[in-house]
Amino acid sequence: MVERADSGAVAAETSVVPGVGKLRRGWVLAGVAVVLGGVLGFHRLVPNWPGRLGSLIESFLPWGGVLVVVLLVVALLRRSAVALVALLLPVGVWVDTFGGLLLPGEEGGGRELVVVQHNVSDENRDPAGTARALIEAGADLVALEELVDPQVAAYEKALARDYPHHVVRGTVGLWSKHPLSGEQVVDIKPRGIEEGWSRGLRAVVRSPYGDVAAYVAHLPSVRVGVSGLASQRRDESAALLGRAIAGESVEPVILLGDLNGVVEDRGLRPLTSQLAFAESGFAFSFPTAFPLARIDQVMARSATVGHIRTLPATGSDHLPVVARVALE
């Protein structure tokens, strides 16, 4: 009986040691925080199989900040010091990676072009209204995707006065305040897609600051399912587009398009490895009802893409994005 009493006393004494229970609970949160920080900082090391897991994680990488906030709230509620310390890792990585996008961006300079990128949707019931909304941005260049008959004529009519120069190839088009030349199709059609699929164009913009090579592209859609991220065709199309831009002789280069991917997605490396993208602004553009990611992109070479932002919703399931591109 004495031994049992002593054992019970030891157990009771151990259970009331200050902080032991909280410390044990904190280790679980700390472990989750370290893993999250590792994924945010070293997402390139996550294998892309099965189901293109790496690309899937990278598609929603900025939302890792929401997970950090959730962990922070739980750590505060449990008063876990070890978890709070561990959370410094994902907080630091997120701020280093995405913190700059929260800044307003520098004021525009003299040698710059304002550009608008918009997937107008082939189901848009108000192309004229969409065109009027885009005109209000006062851009030099307007790139549109999912142009189908009879909507093309509506856009051409609505934009003609403000943008006297334009080119349409397949389902993509470019409207410009400045003269265009050298218009041509850019073949970005992946294998296995039927003939007639045309979603890339290139033109030279004769801007007040010299010639600029402008590309407009609409890469194949991706789908998220039980097997993961289906992005093979998107990735193949990005490689073809990257090859075309790499061989471009005119500088600067501006790429406008619905790339169906975020700039962190390794599937867009053929483009992001040679083109600069926005230095500030999240500009989540899809879907309109609850934007989760910016898949409508503005990229450039021999130029700097400044602050990027979205415009109000149109009749599309994408939001338009507008950016200032400073030419070197």
Side-chain angles (χ1 to χ4, degrees):
M1 295 293 293
V2 175
E3 290 180 354
R4 291 179 182 176
D6 290 344
S7 299
V10 172
E13 182 178 335
T14 302
S15 66
V16 297
V17 173
V20 171
K22 295 176 183 177
L23 186 62
R24 288 173 179 170
R25 293 195 301 269
W27 281 113
V28 176
L29 287 174
V32 174
V34 170
V35 171
L36 177 58
V39 171
L40 289 173
F42 301 98
H43 54 90
R44 294 291 183 196
L45 300 180
V46 177
N48 218 19
W49 53 268
R52 279 176 158 70
L53 177 62
S55 284
L56 181 60
I57 290 174
E58 289 161 348
S59 296
F60 301 99
L61 209 59
W63 291 97
V66 176
L67 297 179
V68 172
V69 172
V70 171
L71 290 176
L72 177 61
V73 171
V74 175
L76 290 173
L77 290 175
R78 294 197 171 190
R79 300 180 182 179
S80 172
V82 67
L84 290 172
V85 172
L87 275 168
L88 293 176
L89 174 62
V91 168
V93 174
W94 192 93
V95 170
D96 180 65
T97 306
F98 300 108
L101 297 178
L102 297 172
L103 301 177
E106 298 180 0
E107 292 294 328
R111 289 175 49 84
E112 70 173 19
L113 296 175
V114 179
V115 300
V116 164
Q117 149 60 29
H118 191 29
N119 179 327
V120 293
S121 175
D122 55 7
E123 298 180 351
N124 194 323
R125 297 182 179 180
D126 186 19
T130 296
R132 288 193 296 271
L134 300 179
I135 290 171
E136 292 179 2
D140 296 274
L141 303 176
V142 175
L144 305 181
E145 297 83 43
E146 292 199 11
L147 294 170
V148 295
D149 291 326
Q151 295 179 3
V152 177
Y155 288 111
E156 289 175 332
K157 180 180 179 180
L159 294 169
R161 186 182 68 178
D162 294 270
Y163 297 93
H165 313 281
H166 85 280
V167 53
V168 175
R169 293 290 184 271
T171 58
V172 299
L174 177 67
W175 275 258
S176 173
K177 289 185 175 181
H178 315 297
L180 299 175
S181 65
E183 302 94 334
Q184 64 188 67
V185 170
V186 178
D187 186 6
I188 59 173
K189 182 171 70 68
R191 292 166 293 180
I193 293 184
E194 67 277 1
E195 293 298 325
W197 189 96
S198 180
R199 293 187 178 185
L201 71 79
R202 176 256 192 196
V204 175
V205 181
R206 295 180 178 176
S207 81
Y209 318 109
D211 288 351
V212 176
Y215 284 75
V216 181
H218 183 192
L219 301 189
S221 300
V222 300
R223 294 289 184 268
V224 180
V226 293
S227 60
L229 187 72
S231 63
Q232 296 91 331
R233 286 180 171 176
R234 192 278 312 270
D235 296 351
E236 183 181 347
S237 190
L240 292 171
L241 179 58
R243 195 176 307 157
I245 292 176
E248 177 59 60
S249 59
V250 176
E251 299 287 345
V253 175
I254 299 177
L255 169 61
L256 304 155
D258 173 4
L259 304 186
N260 272 303
V262 301
V263 295
E264 293 81 19
D265 189 334
R266 67 192 67 184
L268 298 188
R269 282 291 294 167
L271 302 171
T272 56
S273 62
Q274 59 175 316
L275 299 172
F277 39 87
E279 298 178 340
S280 67
F282 280 97
F284 291 162
S285 62
F286 182 83
T288 298
F290 187 79
L292 292 172
R294 185 177 78 240
I295 61 175
D296 296 273
Q297 305 292 353
V298 177
M299 300 183 184
R301 187 172 70 206
S302 299
T304 300
V305 182
H307 185 75
I308 189 169
R309 61 184 176 87
T310 57
L311 297 175
T314 65
S316 171
D317 55 345
H318 291 242
L319 293 175
V321 298
V322 59
R324 295 181 176 273
V325 180
L327 309 178
E328 296 179 359

